[in-house]
DNA sequence: CACGGATTAGTGACGCGGGG
DNA sequence: CCCCGCGTCACTAATCCGTG
């Protein structure tokens, strides 16, 4: 019986996908699968039924999970369990008051357990430029361009990865622009220069804008891998000799904070960063805003 | 405007490939 | 045979959007 494989901790993505009514992306399916197998294992250890699971079993499960997992992971595992119950037409055991209360407690305990990516600052970018500006190594030219471009355009990792040479264009005054989602984003003079350097040096004529380079300076024709973009930022860490850890989102986070400091409104930043909602820019600059409010209150008091 | 649900990002392990 | 830069895999965690 098909249900057996759902109770075996050996559920695979294909079987799972076949039983879900909605289509999901690969990563989502991967997560559902892992979460579910994890839950089944728990049920086996405690000799309780996983499908359908009792609401008490779910509660004890998440309370145990909370000891080692982040809140985001627990929330997602509830979603996974919910999905599989729905797929088999069982009543959803995660939607009960008992589970909600337990999750609420966990939420309070883990209020600040999600750490935010470290942002890269203008000063750091300047220093990187000073370090590598005269280098003729292809990799140096590429990475320097990536750091600046991602910062200036608030690019996500995936957006950088998918950029094509055709997305680079020039206005009447020969100023560089990048096309993203049908919009044109102008580049600063210095970033424009770094980009031209890269295009000249790499001799890319078409296709993906940023690509892998092996140590013999051979430029691949495929796009730069997600992991590689992450490594490009970790390289910035090493070059700057910093304690903090950068990641593929560092330019986006750093630029958001920098823009807020320069007086841009949340709405403007949201548009620049192509966020659909202002929630994320709000989160990134939340601390700055609060501290600014504190400062201004201090000023008025003094005056 | 908090939260539920879905997607994307982070990250170590491992392996590849070819010049030294 | 080693090494470097990268791609792939496999997983966890953070981001992000719609909605009520």
């Amino acid at each position: 019986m098909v249900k057996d494989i759902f109770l075996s901790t050996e559920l695979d993505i294909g079987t799972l996908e076949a039983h879900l009514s909605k289509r999901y992306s690969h990563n989502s399916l991967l997560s559902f699968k892992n979460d579910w197998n994890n839950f089944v294992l728990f049920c086996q250890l405690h000799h309780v039924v996983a499908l359908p699971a009792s609401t008490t079993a779910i509660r004890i499960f998440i309370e145990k999970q909370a000891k080692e997992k982040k809140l985001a992971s627990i929330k997602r595992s509830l979603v996974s369990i919910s999905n599989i119950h729905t797929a088999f037409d069982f009543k959803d055991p995660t939607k009960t008051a008992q589970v909600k209360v337990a999750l609420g407690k966990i939420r309070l305990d883990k209020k600040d357990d999600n750490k935010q990516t470290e942002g890269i600052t203008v000063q750091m970018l300047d220093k990187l430029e000073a370090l590598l500006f005269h280098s003729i190594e292809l990799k140096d030219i590429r990475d320097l361009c990536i750091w600046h471009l991602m910062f200036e355009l608030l690019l996500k990792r995936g957006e950088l990865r998918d950029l094509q040479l055709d997305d680079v264009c020039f206005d009447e005054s020969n100023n560089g622009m990048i096309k993203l989602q049908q919009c044109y984003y102008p580049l600063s003079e210095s970033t424009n220069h770094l980009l031209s350097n890269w295009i000249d040096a790499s001799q890319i004529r078409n296709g993906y804008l940023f690509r892998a380079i092996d140590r013999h300076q051979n430029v691949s024709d495929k796009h730069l891998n997600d992991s590689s973009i992450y490594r490009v930022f970790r390289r910035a860490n090493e070059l700057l000799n910093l304690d903090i850890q950068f990641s593929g989102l560092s330019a986006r986070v750093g630029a958001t904070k920098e823009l807020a400091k320069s007086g841009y409104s949340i709405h403007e930043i949201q548009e620049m960063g192509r966020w659909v909602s202002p929630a994320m820019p709000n989160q990134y600059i939340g601390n700055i805003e609060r501290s600014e409010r504190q400062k201004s209150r201090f000023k008025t008091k003094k005056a």
Side-chain angles (χ1 to χ4, degrees), chain A residues 20 44 115 194 257 294 303:
Chain A
L20 295 173
Q44 287 176 355
K115 63 171 183 293
L194 291 174
K257 292 182 173 172
Q294 295 285 343

Side-chain angles (χ1 to χ4, degrees), chain A residues 132-143:
Chain A
L132 299 184
F133 191 70
H134 295 291
S135 171
I136 52 160
E137 289 286 317
L138 260 184
K139 190 168 160 14
D140 292 343
I141 296 170
R142 184 198 65 187
D143 291 357

Side-chain angles (χ1 to χ4, degrees), chain A residues 13 16 24-35 76 80 157 161 226:
Chain A
I13 287 187
L16 175 61
Y24 290 95
S25 80
H26 179 75
N27 280 349
S28 298
L29 292 169
L30 205 59
S31 302
F32 293 162
K33 181 208 72 169
N34 293 331
D35 290 340
R76 208 204 39 215
S80 306
R157 193 174 74 176
R161 181 196 59 209
D226 288 335

Side-chain angles (χ1 to χ4, degrees), chain A residues 126-253:
Chain A
D126 287 347
K127 191 162 176 204
L128 288 167
E129 188 160 358
L131 283 170
L132 299 184
F133 191 70
H134 295 291
S135 171
I136 52 160
E137 289 286 317
L138 260 184
K139 190 168 160 14
D140 292 343
I141 296 170
R142 184 198 65 187
D143 291 357
L144 197 54
C145 184
I146 287 178
W147 295 319
H148 280 79
L149 192 67
M150 285 189 82
F151 183 87
E152 209 162 298
L153 267 52
L154 287 84
L155 293 179
K156 290 199 238 181
R157 193 174 74 176
E159 289 174 330
L160 182 88
R161 181 196 59 209
D162 296 337
L163 274 183
Q164 304 272 132
L165 186 64
D166 286 346
D167 298 326
V168 183
C169 38
F170 299 92
D171 67 10
E172 319 79 47
S173 329
N174 217 29
N175 298 317
M177 297 184 301
I178 300 281
K179 193 176 95 176
L180 278 170
Q181 300 172 7
Q182 320 302 329
C183 291
Y184 291 88
Y185 294 79
L187 298 177
S188 71
E189 205 173 313
S190 63
T191 301
N192 200 5
H193 186 232
L194 291 174
L195 183 58
S196 316
N197 277 356
W198 161 242
I199 295 173
D200 289 346
S202 62
Q203 298 191 304
I204 287 171
R205 297 274 177 270
N206 50 48
Y208 290 107
L209 188 53
F210 292 105
R211 311 173 183 194
I213 307 165
D214 70 15
R215 66 196 162 117
H216 315 296
Q217 311 288 303
N218 297 317
V219 180
S220 157
D221 52 1
K222 289 195 284 182
H223 62 57
L224 200 53
N225 183 268
D226 288 335
S227 297
S228 303
I229 297 172
Y230 158 72
R231 286 175 193 129
V232 168
F233 276 89
R234 294 304 281 262
R235 181 165 178 241
N237 276 97
E238 287 162 24
L239 287 170
L240 294 169
N241 222 337
L242 295 171
D243 291 333
I244 57 173
Q245 300 264 291
F246 288 144
S247 72
L249 218 60
S250 288
R252 200 162 151 83
V253 173

Side-chain angles (χ1 to χ4, degrees), chain A residues 101-141:
Chain A
V101 169
L103 187 61
K105 277 185 190 149
I106 294 168
R107 179 173 287 126
L108 286 176
D109 285 349
K110 293 180 174 285
K111 196 120 188 99
D112 296 310
D113 80 336
N114 60 328
K115 63 171 183 293
Q116 187 167 111
T117 311
E118 293 287 348
I120 196 164
T121 65
V122 179
Q123 289 75 24
M124 294 174 190
L125 285 170
D126 287 347
K127 191 162 176 204
L128 288 167
E129 188 160 358
L131 283 170
L132 299 184
F133 191 70
H134 295 291
S135 171
I136 52 160
E137 289 286 317
L138 260 184
K139 190 168 160 14
D140 292 343
I141 296 170

